[in-house]
Amino acid sequence: MDRTLNQLIQNFSNHNLLRFFERRNSRTVEINQDFPHLSMEGFGTPCHICRISFPPVSHLDVFSIPVQEDLSFRSGKKKQYDFAIQILKQINAFNGIFVFYDSAGNFRFSFIYRVPEGPRVRSSNYRRFTYFVSSQLTNKTFISRFSNETFSKLEDIHHAFSVEPVSTQFFNQFREVFQKTKNEFEKLNKNTVCLRLKAKYEEKEEYDEQINKFVFTFLGRIIFLYFMLRKGWVENRPDFIRAIREDESFSNLYQNLFEPLFFEVFAKDKPNRLPEIQERFPNTPYLNGGLFERSELERDARDNNILILFSDNFIRKDIIDFFESYNFSVDENSADDQEVSIDPEMLGKVFENSLAELQRKRSGTFYTPREIVHYMVLESIQQYLNNETDISHTKIHDFVFHPDNTTDALSVQEIRLLDAKLQSVKVLDPAVGSGAFPVEFLNTLVKMRKKLNVAVGSNVNEVSIKKAFIKENLYGVDIDPGAIEITKLRLWLSLIVDYDITETEPLPSLDFQFRVGNSLMEKIAGIDVFSDAVKQLSLLDEEFGKDSRIDQIKTQMLAIKDQFYSS
């Protein structure tokens, strides 16, 4: 590794930041000028470190800004973005590199540039691409991108901050790891678990499906684990797994690390954990959720005292080393603000593209890019509000599609009406896939409702909006159980991204809202759900009275739903 890059990571300072850029581009000019007249709560004084020239006319300014809170806190990201844009406007620049750093030496290395959209400049005219760097992480993507980066032209810098190469590389390598894990599992368990599966599933296709489900669930749990590590939620150590990987005295990693963590920690609240588990994991929260329930294959193995085997060498070199080579971000990226890392959307991409081609065609499962899903969500919200209100379609369009969700043209009464309608909207995805639509709908709705409430002087809590919307408004169905689990996983991640570990609470059960089923079937257990069920209800109405019977059913169903949600 280049010496200046290593010093920047291990011992961040303005001096090391300047040396980093001077080493890469001879046209770097030191400025080292403080901007005390620019200030924002939560930040120290910005420093203009240097300027890199790109003949004949372009240049790139580099700034460092100290922050007063731990950079792992998500709450500071939006303020950092706003402060950086304020500085760009102050110096009349189109782009810049901004390095926000905390007292522990962690830093966000961001490239922010303006996207021309006519004469008026808004915050939404800017895009940010960021690396989160910490001495506690491997930082392999950051190191590989910038070891040989010369910052010789702006096009190269855009490429160095691009998320797509990282996502593509992760996906391609994940497919290799998936196949290796499947081969390793079948090789070491061929006379135990696999033999029992073959006896139960005589058709090879059914047998392969069970193996694929196990392997995908196992790797999916590890992906979730790495999101938790990024939050510092596994014994307050982002490097918890890496430290065990490097401890050669730690053996039987599958039985002694992953099984206890998945089934005895994440799946059980602290009072119900065994004493030795409580002693070993005193600071790791209970998560709830179906992802950490043993599958039928795992229950059968446990009940028959069969160990599921993976070699320690395979776990260390093929699984842990693979995941350790990437940075994970719990926050879902948007088109205008992206961290160069693996975000929860990658779960959907991995799921929808890891299925065999034949299975994808049979189930109609294909990856839909984020930009298309976002557009679908905006169109759906616009049509819903057009149908549910008498507000001008032009006003609704301008609110929904404006990047800042401007409320300038709306009256106070119209703002409150839109908020009420968004609060009560019901969203059902009948082929939910990996949850792209409900997750994007959730994030978009939270942004809109916050904007509407601020416009009328109300203060709303983002976590409360998310929890209420997930509980009361979001529903999904899919024929594939794996799709349902990934959807629930992404929704859980959307909740914990706003939590500090001291505020954690068990994740809600989403079994009521997201169900395995075939949305194209009109009959269930011989009952035509579109006619027979209605006829049966009509007969009950005649006998007991329509209003009382409907109210009784509603009350019972709401009670069951509340029980499911909090269980």
Side-chain angles (χ1 to χ4, degrees), residues 23 43 82 103 136 184 259 268 294 361 380 425:
R23 170 72 173 77
F43 301 100
D82 293 340
S103 59
Q136 289 189 296
E184 174 81 358
E259 283 196 333
K268 291 183 179 180
R294 280 186 170 87
K361 290 181 178 179
S380 300
V425 64

Side-chain angles (χ1 to χ4, degrees), residues 258-277:
F258 290 127
E259 283 196 333
L261 197 53
F262 294 156
F263 306 132
E264 303 299 327
V265 178
F266 288 153
K268 291 183 179 180
D269 57 0
K270 291 184 179 181
N272 293 325
R273 295 175 186 174
L274 297 172
E276 58 268 28
I277 295 295

Side-chain angles (χ1 to χ4, degrees), residues 146 149-162:
F146 291 102
E149 177 56 55
T150 61
F151 294 93
S152 59
K153 52 186 177 180
L154 279 174
E155 292 81 359
D156 291 344
I157 296 173
H158 278 272
H159 178 74
F161 281 88
S162 174

Side-chain angles (χ1 to χ4, degrees), residues 188-189 192-193 254-255 259 301-302 304-309:
L188 295 187
N189 299 277
T192 53
V193 177
Y254 184 82
Q255 283 82 23
E259 283 196 333
R302 179 199 59 189
N304 289 279
N305 296 317
I306 298 173
L307 293 178
I308 294 175
L309 302 177

